[in-house]
Amino acid sequence: MILDGKAVAAALKADIAEQIKTLPERFGRVPHLVVILLGEDPASQVYVRNKGLAFEAAGFRSTTVVLPAETTEEALLARIRSLNEDESVDGILVQLPLPRHIDSATVIRTIAVGKDVDGFHPLNVAALWQKLPCIVPCTPKGMMKLLASAGIDPCGKHAVVIGRSNIVGLPVAKLLLDANATVTVCHTRTANLAEQTRRADILVVATGRPKTVTGDMVSDGVVVLDVGVNRDKEGKLCGDVDFDSVAPKASFITPVPGGVGPMTIACLMENTLECFLNRFRGQAPE
Ligand code: GUN
């Protein structure tokens, strides 16, 4: 069975769009997301453009700030501080990865925590790991919603996560743990990866490399969530999982494109709406 992220995301976006319609009369305006893109990485340009279009289609206000790749860290931080102070801005997203001369950790902690729609700020991360109210990173949040949409309950299951990034691997491991799965986190130094993946009831693959997981590495009935967005030799979009050999063994699997990706954007909308409402309710963290 295909886990159709496009369809689940469309339903979520439609629900959010309905809520957005009610906001001008309650709060005088709609939520406003500002996306900052540094440089001209083609993949990042596509992501940022898609975000802007999707947000406007759902009724949000969306601004994209494109800065030259050679922008200094200090200039970027100054721009972020001014958006932090700007009352008309509810969410700030700096597209990653950043050029090498900029320290992303410094950038992330400069974003006001109340406007951190990515959930990457150290205070949001700490809150997630302490089960306190927080903004949950979009991709992991979207994956949990996809599981729920198919009636898959992680409770008591063995979840194997390949990848330990702050954006995907670590937060999804925590969410699966909170959903009462037993979680194994694998990475580039894992000895005998196939031995781990064969023990998975739920397998999350976020390595950034095509064909990290092939059919011989999974057990029958596995649920596979593929976070990868790569281009194969023919320039076609593909995930981190070898779909053709894994899908016949899987009970559920996400396609690429149309799986995890659309859920990420829908969850970014949810997070932006949440930051907006927190600010108007005076509940935004300082
Ligand atoms: N680059 C790839 N994924 C993401 C994401 O979720 N947020 C940001 N800011 N940059 C990304």
Side-chain angles (χ1 to χ4, degrees):
M1 289 265 291
I2 298 289
L3 283 171
D4 187 348
K6 212 171 155 185
V8 178
L12 185 57
K13 283 191 227 172
D15 182 52
I16 293 169
E18 283 304 310
Q19 293 182 59
I20 298 293
K21 280 187 199 152
T22 68
L23 299 177
E25 104 183 20
R26 288 159 65 199
F27 302 108
R29 64 180 183 80
V30 297
H32 181 198
L33 173 70
V34 176
V35 176
I36 302 180
L37 172 63
L38 244 79
E40 281 157 23
D41 175 61
S44 291
Q45 282 178 331
V46 172
Y47 294 142
V48 167
R49 190 174 57 238
N50 287 345
K51 274 187 248 214
L53 292 173
F55 268 67
E56 279 166 19
F60 287 81
R61 181 175 165 204
S62 158
T63 304
T64 302
V65 178
V66 182
L67 300 173
E70 30 327 325
T71 303
T72 63
E73 183 173 300
E74 197 41 56
L76 175 60
L77 299 181
R79 192 71 183 238
I80 291 169
R81 288 191 193 101
S82 112
L83 292 168
N84 287 346
E85 299 296 316
D86 187 336
E87 286 299 323
S88 78
V89 173
D90 305 295
I92 304 168
L93 181 149
V94 179
Q95 184 68 30
L96 304 175
L98 287 164
R100 291 165 58 97
H101 67 279
I102 293 180
D103 178 41
S104 20
T106 304
V107 170
I108 287 165
R109 68 166 180 269
T110 300
I111 297 171
V113 61
K115 298 188 179 185
D116 172 34
V117 288
D118 266 324
F120 294 166
H121 190 288
L123 291 177
N124 266 322
V125 177
L128 177 71
W129 286 86
Q130 296 188 356
K131 279 205 209 182
L132 298 170
C134 64
I135 294 293
V136 176
C138 308
T139 301
K141 189 179 189 179
M143 285 192 274
M144 299 306 288
K145 284 184 191 286
L146 256 187
L147 291 178
S149 77
I152 301 161
D153 180 0
C155 181
K157 304 253 167 56
H158 184 202
V160 175
V161 177
I162 317 179
R164 52 178 159 176
S165 71
N166 291 331
I167 298 185
V168 180
L170 292 182
V172 81
K174 173 60 175 156
L175 295 179
L176 287 162
L177 203 49
D178 289 349
N180 299 310
T182 300
V183 181
T184 300
V185 181
C186 301
H187 45 79
T188 41
R189 308 292 173 89
T190 296
N192 204 342
L193 182 63
E195 197 174 283
Q196 302 297 334
T197 55
R198 279 188 208 114
R199 292 171 57 231
D201 302 308
I202 298 172
L203 181 60
V204 175
V205 190
T207 58
R209 275 182 300 119
K211 303 200 180 168
T212 309
V213 174
T214 47
D216 58 305
M217 294 171 67
V218 299
S219 295
D220 282 329
V222 64
V223 174
V224 180
L225 299 170
D226 185 349
V227 184
V229 185
N230 311 292
R231 300 252 167 215
D232 67 14
K233 289 182 200 84
E234 287 92 51
K236 212 173 110 214
L237 228 44
C238 69
D240 293 348
V241 171
D242 179 32
F243 188 91
D244 292 342
S245 67
V246 172
K249 296 179 85 174
S251 58
F252 292 92
I253 185 167
T254 57
V256 177
V260 174
M263 293 302 295
T264 298
I265 293 201
C267 289
L268 181 63
M269 289 180 183
E270 202 174 75
N271 285 356
T272 304
L273 176 57
E274 197 174 325
C275 287
F276 171 91
L277 291 173
N278 285 343
R279 296 183 70 225
F280 276 91
R281 290 174 185 144
Q283 288 171 355
E286 285 302 317

